Structures are given as structure tokens and as C-alpha cells.
Amino acid sequence: MKQVRALLPHEFTTLKEAFKNHPKHRCGSINGLNWVSLFLYDSKRTGRPTIYDHNENQTLKELVDEAPYQLKHTQSKITLETEKTASKSSIKGILKKFDHSHKRARHSLKSKRYQDDFLACLPASYLFLN
């Protein structure tokens, strides 16, 4: 969230009066203007702590560079090294910060098809070209 400068006293009074005189103003509001104060004076939050520190992130990056299409294998290796567990999506998020993109490797199913049926379906012109 962006940092906002503190309101000047006359700006605060104007905002308070606008809130108080609004047709949908409720008397039971929390201390009058607390929600506005929370919104305007919100400081930067740290959020959830990261799973891996900077050095562990670098190790993860190196492991992925060694085997880019084996993310589950990398996940188990980093778990053994750091004794910390992270989901596959968390690892993808860390890699995204390093400008990596994860794409599933597509395997050929050519070995599993029935060759005779496949050739029967091909047009005759294709068979003569090859």
C-alpha cells in the first residue's frame, strides 16, 4: 500500500465533517473516524515471513537451473538441504521473482499409439510424401 502524508488539521476537520454529515452516516461507527484513520495512516506491513532466506533462494535457483523441468525433484532436494517444506506453487512464486517461468514439459505419446490404426487414418497423399 502506498504511504500517504498525514492530514493537516483543517483537512482532517473537513473530512470528519463530511463523514459526520453524510446521509448514510451511522451513529454506531467505531470511534467516529477510525476506519478512515486506519486507511490513511496505514504503514507498510511485512506480511507473512518468507519460507527461505536469500541464500536458500539462491540455492533453489541453482537447483532449478540444473534441472529446469523437474520441479518436484528440486522440491525434494531443497527440503532435504534446508529441512523446510514448501509447496510447488510457493517454489514457483520464488522462481518468478528470479524471472523464471514454469512450463510443463510435454512428453510424446508416439510410443503408446497403435501404429497400424494411425497409418490407416492418414490421407493417402501423406503416405506417398514420406
Side-chain angles (χ1 to χ4, degrees), residues 96-109:
K96 189 174 182 182
K97 292 178 184 175
F98 288 115
D99 292 329
H100 280 59
S101 64
H102 174 73
K103 295 182 180 170
R104 182 177 62 89
R106 298 183 183 196
H107 301 286
S108 173
L109 299 175

Side-chain angles (χ1 to χ4, degrees), residues 35-79:
W35 67 271
V36 174
S37 300
L38 289 174
F39 176 74
L40 291 176
Y41 303 124
D42 194 15
S43 60
K44 186 176 180 182
R45 298 180 191 156
T46 58
R48 183 177 180 169
T50 58
I51 297 172
Y52 301 121
D53 62 9
H54 181 70
N55 295 332
E56 292 167 338
N57 284 346
Q58 289 296 329
T59 305
L60 177 64
K61 182 180 181 280
E62 291 167 6
L63 288 172
V64 168
D65 288 339
E66 289 173 12
Y69 292 108
Q70 298 177 351
L71 205 56
K72 285 187 180 182
H73 184 66
T74 304
Q75 180 183 11
S76 62
K77 274 187 174 180
I78 196 78
T79 301

Side-chain angles (χ1 to χ4, degrees), residues 1-128:
M1 183 173 272
K2 292 183 179 180
Q3 295 287 331
V4 180
R5 69 168 173 80
L7 291 176
L8 298 173
H10 70 277
E11 293 172 326
F12 189 77
T13 305
T14 303
L15 188 61
K16 190 174 181 181
E17 290 297 320
F19 176 72
K20 189 173 165 185
N21 296 323
H22 192 274
K24 293 191 177 184
H25 170 71
R26 297 181 187 173
C27 296
S29 62
I30 307 169
N31 291 335
L33 208 53
N34 264 352
W35 67 271
V36 174
S37 300
L38 289 174
F39 176 74
L40 291 176
Y41 303 124
D42 194 15
S43 60
K44 186 176 180 182
R45 298 180 191 156
T46 58
R48 183 177 180 169
T50 58
I51 297 172
Y52 301 121
D53 62 9
H54 181 70
N55 295 332
E56 292 167 338
N57 284 346
Q58 289 296 329
T59 305
L60 177 64
K61 182 180 181 280
E62 291 167 6
L63 288 172
V64 168
D65 288 339
E66 289 173 12
Y69 292 108
Q70 298 177 351
L71 205 56
K72 285 187 180 182
H73 184 66
T74 304
Q75 180 183 11
S76 62
K77 274 187 174 180
I78 196 78
T79 301
L80 289 174
E81 285 186 22
T82 62
E83 297 179 0
K84 299 176 186 176
T85 58
S87 68
K88 194 171 160 184
S89 61
S90 296
I91 291 175
K92 286 180 189 178
I94 293 168
L95 294 174
K96 189 174 182 182
K97 292 178 184 175
F98 288 115
D99 292 329
H100 280 59
S101 64
H102 174 73
K103 295 182 180 170
R104 182 177 62 89
R106 298 183 183 196
H107 301 286
S108 173
L109 299 175
K110 187 176 183 178
S111 63
K112 295 185 178 182
R113 72 181 178 203
Y114 296 111
Q115 192 65 22
D116 295 333
D117 293 340
F118 176 73
L119 292 174
C121 293
L122 288 178
S125 60
Y126 183 81
L127 294 174
F128 291 119

